[in-house]
Amino acid sequence: MYKDQIKNFNYALFGNPVNHSQSPKIHDYFSKQTEIFHIYKAINIPLNKFSLIVSNFFKNNIKGANVTSPFKKEAYFFSNKLTKRAKIAQSVNTLKKLNDSCILGDNTDGIGLLSDLNRLKFIKKNFSVLILGAGGAVKGVLLPILSLGCKVYILNRTFSNALKLVNQFNQYGNIQVFKKSDLKDSFFDLVINGVSRNIQFNSEIPIHLFSSKTFFYDMNYSSKNTYFIDYCIRLGSKYISDGTGMLVFQAAYSFLNWHNILPKTDYIINILNKK
Ligand SMILES: NC(=O)c1ccc[n+]([C@@H]2O[C@H](COP(=O)([O-])OP(=O)(O)OC[C@H]3O[C@@H](n4cnc5c(N)ncnc54)[C@H](OP(=O)(O)O)[C@@H]3O)[C@@H](O)[C@H]2O)c1
């Protein structure tokens, strides 16, 4: 099955599931815009077959790939060489074939999120940031946020996963597991949701620490509002965004890694947002 597919494209997205991914459409726009031959397909990989199948793709036509849930950690171990940001995140969303025996692993989620937060004017130096979730996506975005001097609080269903993340990143800035006693006399400037889509929000969320100026960003995206976006609307928040912009920017930085050109992104974000 895979052999026939390989002949028709040279870049791919590997994940499970991938059927609703917007990435092939985004990369099609980039290819047309830059006039670079870049045919990108989403490939669903069986859960226990990542290394076997992906190494076969790289032995054939594939020159680069994005990796999505649940394989970012496996992609990190699969890579023969890592960029600094992928090494720190211990999570890889971009693979590039350097030669027959060397695959480079990179992580563009962080630069993707930061670029979108800057576009929206949702982030400033030294902000207090609450991050919901402690999975692969959050790992990818912590370094640029901490590098801005932001104070980061992690709130996650499984406390031990939040603690692991804090221990992994506390050498890069001010990060801690959220406790009810935090921020006694102030509010969060920014709340980022990195919990998987369609998770209902519960009483653990510290809404007393949100103000009318708090920015809300959902890394998830969907043609319909996510639970998080609906939740923020019900709270009466003025500043809310989903993760469409992050998706386009992380794709643009993967494209830069593969082709040394950073494609234009704003018009693609507008097209996807209209839908
Ligand atoms: N916009 C973009 O470009 C972009 C890029 C990357 C990711 N994303 C999105 O970000 C989301 C997270 O991705 P990921 O790769 O980090 O996934 P992941 O590694 O599977 O992590 C999932 C996170 O969600 C939490 N969670 C899962 N089920 C939950 C539940 N029922 N109740 C409460 N918490 C729950 C997990 O908590 P535990 O630790 O307790 O399991 C973990 O913190 C995905 O939906 C993905 O589509 C978007």
Side-chain angles (χ1 to χ4, degrees):
M1 168 172 93
Y2 289 106
K3 262 189 187 159
D4 289 344
Q5 291 176 0
I6 288 171
K7 287 179 200 146
N8 305 322
F9 58 97
N10 50 358
Y11 290 85
L13 168 70
F14 298 128
N16 184 340
V18 289
N19 47 339
H20 296 301
S21 173
Q22 299 275 16
S23 294
K25 194 189 288 174
I26 294 168
H27 281 278
D28 196 32
Y29 282 121
F30 291 164
S31 174
K32 288 188 179 121
Q33 182 199 123
T34 57
E35 299 183 351
I36 286 176
F37 175 70
H38 172 97
I39 301 176
Y40 183 106
K41 289 261 185 318
I43 305 289
N44 195 66
I45 303 281
L47 288 181
N48 53 355
K49 297 264 165 64
F50 181 82
S51 292
L52 182 74
I53 292 175
V54 172
S55 55
N56 269 333
F57 273 112
F58 276 105
K59 276 182 203 147
N60 289 283
N61 302 23
I62 294 290
K63 296 184 171 137
N66 283 129
V67 179
T68 188
S69 186
F71 298 122
K72 289 182 185 180
K73 186 86 183 181
E74 279 183 73
Y76 166 75
F77 289 115
F78 177 83
S79 305
N80 308 106
K81 206 175 162 187
L82 292 161
T83 60
K84 189 178 168 199
R85 58 195 178 191
K87 200 174 195 167
I88 291 170
Q90 297 176 15
S91 171
V92 160
N93 80 330
T94 305
L95 296 167
K96 179 184 186 176
K97 183 173 176 174
L98 297 180
N99 58 51
D100 283 344
S101 56
C102 190
I103 306 290
L104 174 72
D106 189 14
N107 190 313
T108 64
D109 282 336
I111 183 86
L113 173 64
L114 191 66
S115 303
D116 202 36
L117 292 174
N118 280 327
R119 176 186 72 95
L120 294 161
K121 301 191 172 49
F122 271 23
I123 195 158
K124 280 193 192 145
K125 280 183 184 172
N126 306 324
F127 261 13
S128 285
V129 181
L130 176 67
I131 299 189
L132 308 174
V138 173
K139 271 188 196 166
V141 304
L142 280 175
L143 185 65
I145 295 173
L146 290 170
S147 303
L148 271 181
C150 293
K151 195 167 182 183
V152 173
Y153 299 83
I154 304 288
L155 179 58
N156 190 49
R157 173 180 62 175
T158 310
F159 181 84
S160 58
N161 290 343
L163 197 58
K164 234 186 264 170
L165 201 68
V166 166
N167 290 334
Q168 183 184 337
F169 280 92
N170 59 14
Q171 59 186 302
Y172 303 105
N174 199 334
I175 179 168
Q176 59 198 75
V177 178
F178 175 75
K179 294 187 300 303
K180 280 190 179 142
S181 55
D182 284 331
L183 260 82
K184 280 230 167 70
D185 303 314
S186 58
F187 298 103
F188 286 113
D189 299 299
L190 168 64
V191 179
I192 297 171
N193 178 35
V195 170
S196 319
R197 184 194 315 227
N198 288 333
I199 301 300
Q200 298 271 15
F201 287 86
N202 55 32
S203 54
E204 299 294 305
I205 304 289
I207 47 173
H208 61 290
L209 297 176
F210 302 163
S211 82
S212 59
K213 290 182 184 156
T214 302
F215 298 103
F216 293 88
Y217 192 93
D218 192 353
M219 285 201 225
N220 296 295
Y221 47 87
S222 153
S223 49
K224 283 194 270 167
N225 280 352
T226 60
Y227 281 129
F228 182 75
I229 298 278
D230 276 338
Y231 181 82
C232 299
I233 292 170
R234 285 201 301 278
L235 285 179
S237 321
K238 279 186 282 187
Y239 310 105
I240 308 171
S241 176
D242 76 359
T244 303
M246 173 182 175
L247 180 73
V248 175
F249 279 113
Q250 62 79 31
Y253 280 93
S254 295
F255 196 94
L256 173 68
N257 178 322
W258 297 324
H259 305 296
N260 292 320
I261 292 178
L262 185 64
K264 293 193 189 87
T265 44
D266 279 4
Y267 76 100
I268 300 171
I269 295 172
N270 289 339
I271 292 170
L272 295 181
N273 275 336
K274 269 185 207 145
K275 287 176 183 162

